[in-house]
Amino acid sequence: MNPRPARSITVRPRPIMVEPGRGADPCSTCGARGNSVCDAIGDEDLERLATVAIVTDVEPGKTFIHEGDSADNFFNITSGTAKLYKLLPDGRRQITGFARAGVFLGLAVSSTYAFSAEAIDRVRFCRFPRPKLQALLEDFPAMEKRLLETASNELVAAQEQMLLLGRKTARERVASFLIAQGLLSLPCRHAHDEIALPMSRGDIADYLGLTIETVSRTFTRLKNEQLIAIPTATAVSVLDRAGLLSLAEGYESDN
Amino acid sequence: MNPRPARSITVRPRPIMVEPGRGADPCSTCGARGNSVCDAIGDEDLERLATVAIVTDVEPGKTFIHEGDSADNFFNITSGTAKLYKLLPDGRRQITGFARAGVFLGLAVSSTYAFSAEAIDRVRFCRFPRPKLQALLEDFPAMEKRLLETASNELVAAQEQMLLLGRKTARERVASFLIAQGLLSLPCRHAHDEIALPMSRGDIADYLGLTIETVSRTFTRLKNEQLIAIPTATAVSVLDRAGLLSLAEGYESDN
DNA sequence: CGCACACTTGAACCCCCTCAACCCAAGTGG
DNA sequence: CCACTTGGGTTGAGGGGGTTCAAGTGTGCG
């Protein structure tokens, strides 16, 4: 059941606006552009994009999207990692995803956000006021096409997560999580197959529909079975990727 | 873990094409148009739409989208109900949603379908070959906008379902399911608050991440508590909507 | 050092699953 | 008409995977 007792009260962040409107436009130097919907806009129109985007930093632990609030802005993460989550009244929490650089947030069609978002490490994002983004989409239909693409991708990921939450065992969930995280950090692989885990055990638990204790126990069990190694609490290296993968996909019916 | 023993082999359906290309165009008389992405296309262009849409019927129990198959078509349900699901190799199944009239399927960005779809009752849909739909979207950007809207809506629903699967108890899941089904059948309310359940107990179980037995037991328990009545196995009427709702939303922490 | 905080480990419990029987309505065939 | 089958749904008893509660083990930081 896992009802959390009195989660710490979330203070609305006072975000730091970066280079408020002057200096070189931030979009042309944005490292996240390649992965994001913004790459639908050509170099020649980047200035237009930059006039709409409000670059903002938030500190770790700060919540910058509040479920139920009026959805006045869209967000595009450019660095750092945020967790997206929904709460039940007694404090039970489900993390629906982790948003890294390039992820676009705020596609709530209704007038309010359907989830909350909290920075895990230091997060920088571009904020787009809704009417201004609407106008932008009118002028750049290619961007709308990209938005549809990313929404479709997220939908596929969400279905995969439903399979995990509804039908997989704790071991399979953790294995799936590690495989997925490993795929994400493939481009920036430092050393062998070491995976950085910026989120806490509690976050992983709330993402996988488990408790902290079960996540921890499962990690040590996978370690004892030589499938992974755990150099530090915030990193995991995969020793037997094939074994982990077949676990994640639901073979190895034995527990 | 609920591994299904040898699920019945699925035979590829030989669908029945309805009025293959002649007669009055089906789109102008389509009852589902108001709920679907097709209402983005004006009356004057319906003929163009009709030349692209291939109306097809499938029998109950037939699978008409196979996970992993090449995603060559898009589908728009016009009547009946289908279940969308993913399987694990040992037969464990997760139903990710039920598709009613107006639902648009096939937004798999990768080249293959991410899920399977099977008709529950008799289903009729419009099939759009991928390249033809692409061309259609070029000509009618309003339709693309509608697609983005529906994809966003489904994303919100998927997040809600993750919360259910990851953090709700069996009672809360069943209550949530009944509330959601009740909302859907609000427009066509026959008598009081009777909800038609075209899907079997097994389907409900695989949708809620439970077993058939738990679903059945929970139904009878809710009945004994006077929250619902069960006139037939395929219908439920809500006696205490407020109570059911507060259960669904996670109040009533007692089991 | 000592405190805080995250993570780990242990033991008992419990909700839901498993397995099995039973009910019941709808065929089906003699 | 009745015996038999079939398939969905219900109910019961027992077991197990993950939770709960509680204690221990780092580990960073003032």
Side-chain angles (χ1 to χ4, degrees):
Chain A
M1 273 297 269
N2 193 22
R4 310 268 155 156
R7 181 167 296 278
S8 65
I9 288 98
T10 330
V11 181
R12 309 265 158 149
R14 259 158 306 153
I16 303 129
M17 285 189 20
V18 180
E19 300 172 19
R22 58 213 196 75
D25 82 273
C27 297
S28 53
T29 58
C30 176
R33 184 154 73 103
N35 315 321
S36 88
V37 294
C38 297
D39 73 352
I41 292 182
D43 293 328
E44 66 281 11
D45 294 313
L46 278 187
E47 275 191 41
R48 165 78 197 283
L49 180 60
T51 63
V52 182
I54 303 161
V55 182
T56 309
D57 279 355
V58 296
E59 299 297 313
K62 294 295 181 184
T63 302
F64 59 93
I65 299 180
H66 296 260
E67 179 177 356
D69 273 12
S70 172
D72 302 326
N73 293 286
F74 296 89
F75 301 85
N76 201 3
I77 310 282
T78 57
S79 73
T81 307
K83 52 193 176 197
L84 317 179
Y85 61 92
K86 290 172 75 74
L87 292 177
L88 289 174
D90 62 2
R92 280 175 284 169
R93 183 178 68 159
Q94 178 65 39
I95 292 184
T96 58
F98 296 103
R100 306 173 156 235
V103 172
F104 186 87
L105 299 178
L107 278 181
V109 170
S110 80
S111 55
T112 59
Y113 296 118
F115 56 86
S116 303
E118 177 184 327
I120 291 178
D121 43 25
R122 176 173 263 261
V123 165
R124 176 171 292 189
F125 56 72
C126 295
R127 181 164 64 83
F128 300 91
R130 180 188 269 267
K132 293 197 177 177
L133 186 78
Q134 299 286 9
L136 202 66
L137 290 179
E138 296 297 329
D139 298 350
F140 301 102
M143 193 165 176
E144 192 147 42
K145 212 172 276 274
R146 280 284 279 132
L147 270 183
L148 182 57
E149 262 177 54
T150 63
S152 305
N153 280 328
E154 283 182 55
L155 216 40
V156 170
Q159 289 161 356
E160 190 65 40
Q161 191 70 358
M162 287 189 228
L163 177 63
L164 180 151
L165 292 170
R167 289 301 180 215
K168 288 186 182 177
T169 66
R171 291 186 79 205
E172 291 166 345
R173 294 182 198 202
V174 171
S176 302
F177 173 71
L178 291 175
I179 292 289
Q181 292 295 311
L183 288 182
L184 289 182
S185 56
L186 255 188
C188 57
R189 54 161 58 197
H190 24 112
H192 334 62
D193 281 311
E194 189 158 312
I195 304 167
L197 300 178
M199 66 293 287
S200 70
R201 295 288 186 273
D203 290 340
I204 298 174
D206 283 347
Y207 181 56
L208 300 178
L210 300 170
T211 58
I212 293 181
E213 294 93 328
T214 301
V215 170
S216 181
R217 274 186 258 270
T218 307
F219 270 37
T220 56
R221 175 147 175 228
L222 293 177
K223 182 183 70 179
N224 292 338
E225 295 167 342
Q226 313 275 339
L227 289 168
I228 63 173
I230 310 179
T232 83
T234 60
V236 165
S237 56
V238 177
L239 301 180
D240 179 359
R241 192 163 188 292
L244 206 60
L245 189 61
S246 88
L247 228 183
E249 309 209 319
Y251 301 94
E252 338 276 287
S253 60
D254 64 312
N255 249 18
Chain B
M1 260 307 92
N2 191 22
R4 311 267 155 159
R7 180 166 297 277
S8 65
I9 288 99
T10 329
V11 182
R12 308 265 159 150
R14 261 159 303 154
I16 303 127
M17 284 191 18
V18 180
E19 301 175 17
R22 58 213 198 73
D25 80 275
C27 296
S28 53
T29 58
C30 176
R33 185 154 73 101
N35 315 323
S36 89
V37 294
C38 297
D39 73 353
I41 291 182
D43 293 330
E44 66 281 11
D45 293 314
L46 278 187
E47 275 191 40
R48 166 77 197 283
L49 179 60
T51 63
V52 182
I54 304 161
V55 181
T56 308
D57 279 354
V58 295
E59 299 297 313
K62 294 295 184 186
T63 302
F64 59 93
I65 299 179
H66 295 260
E67 178 177 356
D69 273 12
S70 174
D72 301 326
N73 292 287
F74 296 89
F75 302 85
N76 201 0
I77 310 282
T78 57
S79 74
T81 308
K83 53 192 175 199
L84 317 178
Y85 61 92
K86 292 172 74 75
L87 292 176
L88 288 173
D90 62 2
R92 280 174 285 170
R93 182 178 68 159
Q94 178 65 39
I95 293 184
T96 58
F98 296 104
R100 306 174 156 234
V103 172
F104 186 87
L105 298 178
L107 277 182
V109 169
S110 81
S111 55
T112 58
Y113 296 119
F115 56 85
S116 302
E118 177 184 328
I120 291 178
D121 42 24
R122 176 173 262 261
V123 165
R124 175 172 292 190
F125 57 72
C126 296
R127 180 165 64 83
F128 300 90
R130 180 189 270 266
K132 293 196 177 177
L133 185 78
Q134 298 286 10
L136 202 65
L137 290 180
E138 297 297 330
D139 298 350
F140 300 102
M143 192 166 178
E144 192 147 43
K145 211 171 278 272
R146 281 284 279 133
L147 271 183
L148 182 57
E149 259 177 55
T150 64
S152 305
N153 279 329
E154 282 182 55
L155 216 40
V156 170
Q159 289 162 356
E160 191 65 40
Q161 191 71 357
M162 287 189 227
L163 177 64
L164 181 152
L165 292 170
R167 289 300 180 215
K168 287 187 182 176
T169 66
R171 290 185 80 205
E172 291 167 344
R173 294 184 198 202
V174 171
S176 302
F177 173 71
L178 291 175
I179 293 289
Q181 293 294 312
L183 287 182
L184 289 181
S185 56
L186 255 188
C188 56
R189 54 162 58 197
H190 24 113
H192 335 60
D193 281 311
E194 190 158 311
I195 304 167
L197 300 178
M199 67 293 288
S200 71
R201 294 289 186 273
D203 290 341
I204 298 173
D206 282 348
Y207 181 55
L208 299 179
L210 299 170
T211 58
I212 294 181
E213 295 93 328
T214 300
V215 170
S216 182
R217 273 186 258 269
T218 307
F219 270 35
T220 55
R221 175 147 174 228
L222 293 177
K223 182 183 69 180
N224 292 338
E225 295 166 342
Q226 313 275 339
L227 289 168
I228 63 172
I230 310 178
T232 84
T234 60
V236 166
S237 56
V238 177
L239 302 181
D240 179 358
R241 192 162 188 292
L244 206 61
L245 189 61
S246 88
L247 228 184
E249 308 206 321
Y251 301 93
E252 337 277 289
S253 59
D254 62 314
N255 248 22

